[in-house]
Amino acid sequence: MTDEAESTELEARLEEQDEFDPPAEFVDQANVSDSGIYEEFEQNWPECWTGAADLLDWSSEYDQVLDDSNPPFYEWFEGGSLNASANCLDRHLDERGDEAAIEWVGEPVDEDDRTFTYEELHREVNEFAAALRDMGVGEDDVVTMYMPMVPELPIAMLACARIGAPHSVVFAGFSADALATRMNAADSEYLVTCDGYYRRGDPLDHYEKADEGLGGVDHDVSDVVVVDRLGKNGDSFGHDLPEGRHDYDDLVADHEGATVEPVERDATDMLFLMYTSGTTGEPKGVKHSTGGYLSWAAWTSQAVLDIKPEDTYFCSADIGWITGHSYIVYGPLALGTTTMMYEGTPDHPEKDRLWEIVEEYEATQLYTAPTAIRAFMKWGTEYPEAHDLSSLRLLGTVGEPINPRAWKWYYQHIGDESAPIVDTWWQTETGGMMVTGLPGVSTMKPGSAGRPLPGVDARVVDVSGEEVEAGRAGYLTVDKPWPGMLQTLYKNDERFVNEYWAEYSDTDSDDPDDWVYFPEDGAKIDGDGYITVLGRVDDVLNVSGHRLGTMEIESAIVDVAGVAEAAVVGGDHDVKGEAVYAYVLTEDGQDGTDELRDRIVESVEDAIGPIARPEAVVFSPELPKTRSGKIMRRLLEDIANGEELGDTSTLRNPDVVEDIQAKVGEE
Ligand code: 6R9
């Protein structure tokens, strides 16, 4: 049989198959391979989580696993103390000091890939921690980081953790405005940023954006640290640093050899803040604890990603998102493994860049997003086929639902049918994975994330909170707390309760059984308890696995002169999963011109960043509204997707629908 015929036959077989057992070779070596763990955890809840805490070194033992006396303000491992940077660095020095902690792969402009051994990473984290301290950063001062995938980002995060200063990382692709909003919300007086970085080989000025953002901060910013990424290569944009702004290399050189004793933090002290999109314009400051979060990141890295110290583990996310926090930095380093960081994009200089990296570094796990997999599929199998990917033992996906076709492509062409896939459902708020298979235990069903992890009480319920029958769609809930959970929304307990708990809880009750966490995702469950996550049920879009609030985008659009009103919805997109569709009503006398369209796109990019760039801007004569004046987003979504429209009789202005459909057709 020719190769081609063989592969067609294989594809046909895979297409039929909807269940896959974990490969025996994998099971034999898996960190978790006993299926009894589900029952054991259920019977032994919440004490089952002592095993997760035991993965860490504690300076003082905790008094109890869970204090649930004041729901939903749960306290995990209360009374215990520890330091996250000591757990990620110091304790590995004896055995793994000379082993790589971070393998940093830069954009291929200067061949300067860098390896940081645990010893080296420990040294630089100490030096930068000393510099931060000299600058006046104290315990509980929030330090903002606005940096791309340069090694100084995890170094700065760990340096903050060392001195007990929470970090707040703002994704480098976000705009100046987004930076200012987040620094204002966190009252953050310190910023670590960089001069620029490379994108597809070209230098990009990042400092300019950071500087503009600083202009929008409404309080004094005492110090700014600027990492030199471009200048070293002669690609400087020539910015001078005024008083109060420091060059990172100078600071570290001034503190050469300095050591900083890791600060003992209570388990319930804040490790970091991460701002994420919500249904209103204001981003939510998700607050994570030190003990619970780190235990969760470490335990899930071990149980689900099967990480072992001798692995070279590769997660292709950006550290500016929660996936990078938990599964590039904290989880893998807590376990003492080698974690990879890739600065560039998967298609530069060629579309085989990722596979080249996997081959060169002999990566053992790959954790990526369905959007990336769909792009790989589009590019064709010749790119992965040109490389030896046999080092890969496990594959993972995160961020959005994966369609079975993409799952099977990943399984066949990247994993060679010998690496299990974990489809991991979780959120910024959950700190780490919640619903996913255990790769050494669970049968995989493409398209379904799997059962909730042992000890995680996730369910699918109807509007009244009753569990739905197998096969039915409903809402995902989590009925018991878990160690990695957010503690609250920064300085906004009320919004925390309203956003995540009010829907399904008796908020007057002190009984934890009356409290249910609502992640705002729709889901289906099958007869085996496997959960398929369908997507957000609130006004949050998921574009290429990134969360964007429709309100944030709409407010950037209505800021544009000539725009009267805007409605943003998600339309299906075969690579991005979802794409931004903007329906815009212009002011009287203003036509929907290309020039206006350009200004709208520019305003969205300025306010949020290029990831929020509308796929289509549709000028509509009116927006479809209910009689109570609410925009019918669901209908606009159906129009964007060219779907059959349901009942439009509840509209105040049903005639407008045909007009809008015609406009979309022109797009
Ligand atoms: C980790 C992360 C969270 C939202 C979440 C859901 C979607 C994440 C998923 C998934 C289906 C998966 N999501 N993983 N949907 N299957 N395996 O992505 O955090 O940026 O906060 O997004 O992403 O809608 O609610 P975050």
Side-chain angles (χ1 to χ4, degrees):
M1 202 168 4
T2 62
D3 277 2
E4 205 173 315
E6 200 172 349
S7 120
T8 318
E9 187 174 287
L10 184 65
E11 236 138 83
R13 174 166 65 68
L14 280 176
E15 207 173 309
E16 302 270 295
Q17 197 177 340
D18 51 16
E19 289 194 12
F20 296 77
D21 283 327
E25 225 175 287
F26 182 90
V27 176
D28 286 345
Q29 60 79 60
N31 285 340
V32 179
S33 55
D34 178 1
S35 61
I37 185 171
Y38 288 96
E39 208 182 312
E40 184 195 319
F41 273 42
E42 198 176 325
Q43 283 170 2
N44 194 25
W45 193 94
E47 270 67 34
C48 54
W49 297 123
T50 53
D54 287 347
L55 292 173
L56 306 180
D57 281 0
W58 296 77
S59 323
S60 58
E61 266 307 303
Y62 48 87
D63 300 323
Q64 54 178 329
V65 173
L66 170 66
D67 175 353
D68 59 4
S69 57
N70 182 27
F73 300 95
Y74 297 98
E75 299 202 332
W76 287 91
F77 310 121
E78 184 265 310
S81 64
L82 75 168
N83 181 283
S85 113
N87 269 286
C88 290
L89 300 169
D90 305 47
R91 66 178 181 142
H92 304 312
L93 292 180
D94 279 351
E95 279 185 26
R96 301 197 41 86
D98 295 332
E99 303 293 334
I102 296 179
E103 290 283 12
W104 180 76
V105 184
E107 270 246 356
V109 276
D110 47 11
E111 302 291 324
D112 75 344
D113 294 356
R114 294 169 72 185
T115 301
F116 290 81
T117 64
Y118 273 95
E119 193 82 57
E120 288 162 345
L121 190 61
H122 178 259
R123 186 183 324 131
E124 192 150 336
V125 166
N126 270 276
E127 290 167 349
F128 191 54
L132 288 174
R133 207 175 243 181
D134 276 357
M135 223 176 259
V137 180
E139 233 182 300
D140 292 315
D141 287 343
V142 176
V143 177
T144 302
M145 283 152 211
Y146 185 41
M147 275 195 272
M149 290 289 279
V150 291
E152 289 80 2
L153 175 54
I155 289 169
M157 290 162 74
L158 293 166
C160 281
R162 198 162 189 89
I163 59 174
H167 51 74
S168 164
V169 179
V170 178
F171 175 56
F174 275 149
S175 66
D177 280 359
L179 171 66
T181 312
R182 285 157 177 76
M183 285 187 78
N184 287 334
D187 282 327
S188 174
E189 294 175 12
Y190 302 93
L191 175 68
V192 187
T193 185
C194 71
D195 61 344
Y197 54 105
Y198 295 96
R199 262 297 164 271
R200 300 198 163 83
D202 295 325
L204 216 125
D205 193 343
H206 188 63
Y207 182 80
E208 191 185 25
K209 227 169 43 161
D211 191 42
E212 191 190 327
L214 285 164
V217 177
D218 58 16
H219 54 265
D220 281 343
V221 174
S222 37
D223 294 273
V224 177
V225 179
V226 184
V227 170
D228 175 359
R229 168 71 184 110
L230 302 179
K232 286 193 197 83
N233 300 312
D235 284 326
S236 167
F237 284 93
H239 298 292
D240 288 326
L241 300 185
E243 181 78 24
R245 300 197 181 177
H246 322 272
D247 174 71
Y248 174 91
D249 295 318
D250 290 348
L251 281 180
V252 168
D254 286 348
H255 292 83
E256 199 186 329
T259 53
V260 173
E261 200 48 38
V263 169
E264 255 188 55
R265 297 282 282 171
D266 287 347
T268 52
D269 281 342
M270 161 162 59
L271 179 60
F272 67 86
L273 272 179
M274 166 128 252
Y275 282 90
T276 185
S277 296
T279 37
T280 68
E282 274 297 288
K284 306 189 268 200
V286 172
K287 181 179 165 190
H288 277 295
S289 71
T290 307
Y293 169 82
L294 197 60
S295 304
W296 196 248
W299 182 78
T300 49
S301 293
Q302 191 186 55
V304 181
L305 297 171
D306 199 52
I307 288 179
K308 303 174 169 67
E310 57 277 9
D311 283 338
T312 300
Y313 156 84
F314 185 13
C315 166
S316 70
D318 191 292
I319 295 177
W321 306 106
I322 191 71
T323 301
H325 277 51
S326 302
Y327 300 114
I328 295 178
V329 182
Y330 286 112
L333 292 178
L335 297 178
T337 195
T338 300
T339 184
M340 301 193 55
M341 260 182 93
Y342 175 47
E343 181 185 36
T345 52
D347 57 351
H348 180 81
E350 292 299 333
K351 295 192 172 76
D352 67 343
R353 182 62 176 140
L354 230 49
W355 318 124
E356 187 177 77
I357 297 172
V358 167
E359 180 172 20
E360 182 180 339
Y361 287 85
E362 297 181 32
T364 40
Q365 290 95 338
L366 178 69
Y367 190 31
T368 191
T371 287
I373 298 166
R374 289 190 291 263
F376 301 145
M377 273 174 79
K378 241 190 174 146
W379 297 340
T381 52
E382 62 267 35
Y383 297 103
E385 272 162 13
H387 296 276
D388 177 4
L389 307 179
S390 60
S391 57
L392 289 170
R393 180 174 91 240
L394 172 134
L395 303 174
T397 72
V398 58
E400 35 172 344
I402 180 163
N403 44 313
R405 219 163 70 80
W407 191 102
K408 289 176 183 176
W409 188 92
Y410 196 33
Y411 191 68
Q412 182 188 351
H413 297 286
I414 308 303
D416 195 25
E417 295 186 79
S418 63
I421 296 178
V422 285
D423 171 358
T424 61
W425 176 86
W426 59 290
Q427 309 180 290
T428 303
E429 292 85 346
T430 68
M433 300 160 180
M434 299 290 283
V435 179
T436 179
L438 288 169
V441 172
S442 318
T443 297
M444 298 167 273
K445 300 188 191 183
S448 166
R451 289 172 67 185
L453 281 171
V456 171
D457 190 2
R459 306 178 184 195
V460 180
V461 303
D462 62 19
V463 274
S464 61
E466 293 300 316
E467 284 188 62
V468 299
E469 277 169 46
R472 285 284 165 82
Y475 303 96
L476 192 59
T477 58
V478 187
D479 288 44
K480 285 200 187 93
W482 64 99
M485 68 195 301
L486 77 165
Q487 295 179 293
T488 187
L489 291 178
Y490 194 51
K491 296 188 182 159
N492 205 339
D493 289 345
E494 196 186 314
R495 190 172 176 199
F496 169 63
V497 173
N498 287 335
E499 291 261 359
Y500 303 109
W501 304 90
E503 194 82 24
Y504 287 107
S505 310
D506 171 2
T507 52
D508 293 326
S509 169
D510 289 335
D511 182 349
D513 289 344
D514 293 333
W515 286 82
V516 172
Y517 175 83
F518 179 44
E520 304 199 78
D521 272 321
K524 264 185 349 199
I525 189 159
D526 73 8
D528 298 325
Y530 276 53
I531 293 175
T532 297
V533 179
L534 301 169
R536 308 282 305 187
V537 294
D538 56 6
D539 291 332
V540 172
L541 307 186
N542 190 332
V543 178
S544 301
H546 301 318
R547 261 165 78 167
L548 302 170
T550 50
M551 293 279 285
E552 288 170 88
I553 306 174
E554 285 167 10
S555 80
I557 297 176
V558 294
D559 271 353
V560 175
V563 172
E565 216 177 344
V568 162
V569 300
D572 294 342
H573 191 278
D574 58 356
V575 174
K576 298 178 188 169
E578 220 170 18
V580 175
Y581 270 71
Y583 294 86
V584 175
L585 186 71
T586 56
E587 279 174 350
D588 282 350
Q590 167 73 56
D591 289 334
T593 58
D594 286 347
E595 187 267 338
L596 180 62
R597 180 175 282 121
D598 291 347
R599 279 193 286 133
I600 288 170
V601 170
E602 195 183 311
S603 175
V604 172
E605 292 198 347
D606 283 351
I608 300 148
I611 47 167
R613 186 190 171 89
E615 185 78 14
V617 175
V618 182
F619 292 112
S620 332
E622 246 183 290
L623 297 175
K625 294 206 175 145
T626 61
R627 283 169 214 280
S628 61
K630 282 210 159 75
I631 297 173
M632 288 251 302
R633 288 200 171 70
R634 181 73 46 209
L635 188 75
L636 290 171
E637 243 167 59
D638 289 346
I639 296 175
N641 294 330
E643 273 165 25
E644 196 73 20
L645 304 183
D647 183 14
T648 54
S649 61
T650 54
L651 284 180
R652 198 172 52 189
N653 49 355
D655 303 342
V656 75
V657 173
E658 267 177 42
D659 288 347
I660 301 177
Q661 279 175 312
K663 293 267 182 185
V664 172
E666 289 165 18
E667 269 292 310

